[in-house]
Amino acid sequence: MIAQAMVPMPSEPTAAELAELLERQRAAYQRLGPPSFAQRRATLARLRAAVLERQDALAAAIAADFGRRPRQESLLAEIYPLASSLRYTLRHLKSWMRERRVPVSMELWPGRAYVRAQPLGVVGIISPWNYPVQLALLPLIAALAAGNRVLLKPSEVTPLSSAALAELLGAVFPPEEVAVVQGGPAVGQAFAQLPLDHLFFSGSAAVGRHVMRSAAHRLTPVTLELGGKSPALIAPDARLDAAAASILYGKLLNAGQTCIAPDYVLVPAPLEADFVRRARDAAARMFPRFAGNPDYTAIVNERHWRRLNGYLEDCRAKGGEVVPLSAGQETPDAAGRILPPALILRPTPDMAVMQEEIFGPLLPVVPYGTLEEAVAFINARPRPLALYLFTESAAHRDTVLGRVVAGGVTVNDTLLHFSAEGLPFGGVGASGMGAYHGQYGFETFTKRQPIFRQARFNLTGLVRPPYGRKFDALVRWMIGGK
């Protein structure tokens, strides 16, 4: 067990110092202009080399922040997505930057129209604690690919990871290009109030509301990557063993501290007991024990530990059944913040686990009668960030996907839509707005500038005053009248 480090916070910048840093970046952008393709490619290559060189140090910082998190999990869930994104971006960046010719109607001939990808300027990123490296650097990659300068505010909940990010980025970039701002909630609030050209926030819906209010004062455009209650829906024809294994993996990665983790599972009522048995078998295969198991992640801090244990107490008090998934009936380890996973049977709508995003290794199991009832259950709640559907039937798949609006979907597995660089990642409704990953991230931090270039010899003069019969005839032709 690694003891969670007590790290002194760096001195927090004032609002005036934040504004000065922003102006330094804006002045540099105005002086030097947007970077060329070659410059952007070199920038991303430097970042890639730095991440790969420091991957073990980054994993160690994350483990120290959490108290226990396996190196392998951090390499898979933090470093791999960054390496994948950088490879994909470097491969496709030139085509994303290319000007696009747009056809014009006959009456605008011989003018020409095209669309140019223009950087927004200086963008801000506020990143969360649950994947403190990946969720900071993925939007940074997109912003740099789009040609912007970036202010990054990582989470104060994981201070060693934030310090490691500041050291890494400080070694690669001058502060006029990328700067890391460290501090607590007050710094975050001042950061969100800066007159940025775009603000990207990942975190909880509650904090997202505050961020949006702060940004609204300046009319700063925002992308919000939030969370919510992502359902796993098991259709009657699903392969139950495979579904249970996938759902438990998606739930137990990072001990459930994942914004797209399955938050509850809908299972046909006749299959509920069978699902419980298979879920316990799946958990035992991955984690024969939880106490002292280096493959299982700790809860990040005492506040979240108390919150999750409060959910368990609330479930028991309201008549729910808590079914441990640990083979030896292990009890929670408060000193190490190790919470063995559990299923919640007979959850009721008034339970906290059915009202709030769980963000931990607890999984309510909701039995249903018909597929239509399951769809209605999902649609009666805020739109989720992710939907996981398990079915072998094309008809069931089309029914569910046609009626449920979700931020993203994985069919017959969990989490994997996040890893597909060609897919947009983002929420809908209460789970967020906007998207990133791959070209979608490039577009988020880009202004598609429409440009019409007039030819030297043109017909514009024919529609200027004074009006007369020639004008009337020309306008009738343009409109299509007789």
Side-chain angles (χ1 to χ4, degrees):
M1 173 72 65
I2 302 175
Q4 189 178 36
M6 298 296 293
V7 182
M9 289 293 294
S11 59
E12 297 193 348
T14 65
E17 289 169 334
L18 289 175
E20 181 183 359
L21 186 55
L22 170 61
E23 287 310 309
R24 285 176 62 189
Q25 290 201 349
R26 182 158 285 142
Y29 182 84
Q30 293 297 326
R31 183 174 69 254
L32 300 173
S36 66
F37 166 70
Q39 289 172 319
R40 298 185 205 189
R41 185 175 179 84
T43 293
L44 295 171
R46 293 200 314 273
L47 178 59
R48 179 177 184 272
V51 169
L52 296 181
E53 179 185 352
R54 298 172 188 238
Q55 56 185 297
D56 289 334
L58 293 169
I62 296 167
D65 276 329
F66 276 76
R68 186 172 85 192
R69 206 223 225 171
R71 171 181 173 275
Q72 298 91 329
E73 193 166 274
S74 290
L75 295 182
L76 175 66
E78 305 264 6
I79 305 302
Y80 162 69
L82 297 174
S84 175
S85 175
L86 284 160
R87 278 196 304 268
Y88 189 88
T89 300
L90 287 167
R91 187 179 304 128
H92 295 283
L93 179 58
K94 192 168 189 177
S95 66
W96 299 345
M97 291 178 62
R98 190 173 295 127
E99 286 184 356
R100 303 175 186 171
R101 284 285 298 272
V102 178
V104 299
S105 55
M106 186 182 301
E107 55 269 22
L108 293 178
W109 287 357
R112 294 289 182 267
Y114 55 99
V115 176
R116 172 180 291 169
Q118 186 178 49
L120 295 174
V122 180
V123 303
I125 297 169
I126 301 176
S127 59
W129 56 263
N130 58 321
Y131 292 94
V133 172
Q134 178 226 117
L135 293 179
L137 297 187
L138 276 182
L140 176 73
I141 291 167
L144 293 175
N148 298 282
R149 294 167 186 266
V150 182
L151 294 176
L152 170 64
K153 163 56 176 83
S155 175
E156 70 279 6
V157 175
T158 45
L160 282 175
S161 302
S162 297
L165 284 171
E167 182 183 358
L168 183 153
L169 295 174
V172 176
F173 302 104
E176 292 80 11
E177 190 172 359
V178 176
V180 177
V181 174
Q182 299 183 72
V187 174
Q189 183 176 2
F191 189 98
Q193 292 173 346
L194 290 171
L196 297 155
D197 297 304
H198 193 95
L199 178 59
F200 187 102
F201 170 81
S202 295
S204 70
V207 178
R209 292 185 180 94
H210 290 295
V211 167
M212 194 168 184
R213 279 194 291 268
S214 296
H217 177 69
R218 304 267 189 186
L219 293 181
T220 300
V222 296
T223 297
L224 300 178
E225 296 295 344
L226 308 177
K229 302 190 70 62
S230 297
L233 172 53
I234 299 176
D237 67 308
R239 294 179 292 118
L240 200 57
D241 255 341
S246 295
I247 291 168
L248 264 294
Y249 174 73
K251 168 55 80 171
L252 299 186
L253 181 73
N254 203 29
Q257 298 164 109
T258 303
C259 62
I260 55 170
D263 205 80
Y264 63 94
V265 56
L266 290 155
V267 61
L271 301 179
E272 181 183 14
D274 200 9
F275 172 78
V276 171
R277 178 177 61 80
R278 293 170 193 254
R280 297 193 72 183
D281 290 345
R285 286 193 298 271
M286 290 185 286
F287 302 100
R289 72 185 193 285
F290 293 91
N293 188 336
D295 292 340
Y296 189 66
T297 298
I299 303 305
V300 69
N301 61 21
E302 182 68 23
R303 179 173 69 86
H304 285 284
W305 167 263
R306 291 195 303 269
R307 175 182 61 82
L308 290 166
N309 279 278
Y311 289 168
L312 289 172
E313 294 171 7
D314 177 69
C315 288
R316 293 186 179 104
K318 292 174 179 173
E321 180 183 357
V322 177
V323 178
L325 290 176
S326 51
Q329 301 292 310
E330 297 175 74
T331 57
D333 171 13
R337 298 189 312 281
I338 302 301
L339 185 63
L343 301 179
I344 309 296
L345 305 186
R346 297 189 302 278
T348 56
D350 62 330
M351 290 181 182
V353 290
M354 295 307 295
Q355 294 181 352
E356 302 172 17
E357 184 179 9
I358 296 172
F359 231 66
L362 310 178
L363 182 64
V365 179
V366 180
Y368 69 86
T370 67
L371 197 61
E372 288 72 19
E373 291 174 3
V375 168
F377 187 92
I378 297 170
N379 285 337
R381 286 150 181 78
R383 289 174 169 173
L385 181 57
L387 167 67
Y388 302 114
L389 172 63
F390 294 85
T391 182
E392 299 299 305
S393 163
H396 287 162
R397 184 184 66 235
D398 292 344
T399 294
V400 174
L401 298 187
R403 298 181 189 176
V404 176
V405 179
V409 179
T410 293
V411 178
N412 291 329
D413 214 325
T414 58
L415 310 183
L416 295 183
H417 64 284
F418 181 90
S419 299
E421 283 295 324
L423 294 177
F425 179 81
V428 57
S431 58
M433 61 179 68
Y436 72 125
H437 286 200
Q439 186 171 0
Y440 297 93
F442 179 88
E443 298 292 345
T444 288
F445 295 111
T446 295
K447 163 61 179 172
R448 283 293 176 181
Q449 187 179 53
I451 301 170
F452 181 84
R453 188 174 69 244
Q454 183 64 284
R456 180 177 181 183
F457 300 103
N458 58 77
L459 304 178
T460 303
L462 297 179
V463 294
R464 294 174 181 163
Y467 304 127
R469 281 187 289 181
K470 288 183 179 179
F471 172 88
D472 292 340
L474 178 59
V475 170
R476 279 198 301 271
W477 171 77
M478 291 168 62
I479 294 172
K482 300 209 177 183

